[in-house]
Amino acid sequence: QVQLVESGGGLVQPGGSLRLSCAASGRTSSVITMAWFRQAPGKEREFVAGTEWSASSIYYADSVKGRFTISTDNAKNTMYLQMNSLKPEDTAVYYCAGSRTYYISGVQGDYNSWGQGTQVTVSS
């Protein structure tokens, strides 16, 4: 079992920045790829960004490309999401997820480990 714990959410004004963290513990060797998803009120959960632990492959949703940066620190078993130029439409609960697949998937069902989520609110 892998446990994932997110942190770093909060309230920020439009144009501001936040950095989310996802700390992994337990059988971390079973996780090959990691991703961030988000779910806004009344909407389905959507893929935001994904990476291999080595960061050799990274993918972003078009909606966040150029504004968000995903990264990993293997020594700390931690994944990050640096979010810049935040917009009100970025408001959502952000979840980190881990997968045993060898490719970065945008499909929720391909991820078998999930964190509890952290709220990000972008508002003036």
Side-chain angles (χ1 to χ4, degrees):
Q1 282 281 17
V2 175
Q3 292 78 43
L4 302 175
V5 179
E6 304 98 333
S7 61
L11 173 64
V12 63
Q13 293 186 343
S17 298
L18 279 176
R19 189 177 82 154
L20 305 183
S21 300
C22 173
S25 61
R27 295 186 60 187
T28 57
S29 60
S30 66
V31 176
I32 307 300
T33 55
M34 297 282 290
W36 289 97
F37 285 77
R38 67 185 181 186
Q39 187 167 20
K43 295 188 177 181
E44 293 188 355
R45 193 171 297 186
E46 64 176 0
F47 173 83
V48 175
T51 181
E52 297 175 349
W53 271 117
S54 64
S56 58
S57 294
I58 292 177
Y59 289 97
Y60 295 98
D62 288 342
S63 58
V64 305
K65 204 172 292 183
R67 300 187 298 122
F68 291 9
T69 302
I70 191 171
S71 61
T72 59
D73 185 332
N74 290 352
K76 296 181 179 180
N77 286 330
T78 300
M79 176 179 66
Y80 303 96
L81 186 68
Q82 177 66 44
M83 305 185 295
N84 299 329
S85 302
L86 283 161
K87 305 175 181 180
E89 51 264 43
D90 294 319
T91 296
V93 177
Y94 283 71
Y95 299 89
C96 69
S99 173
R100 290 190 285 261
T101 62
Y102 284 84
Y103 56 89
I104 300 170
S105 171
V107 178
Q108 293 185 59
D110 287 337
Y111 293 84
N112 55 292
S113 300
W114 290 86
Q116 81 288 351
T118 185
Q119 177 70 48
V120 171
T121 302
V122 185
S123 175
S124 55

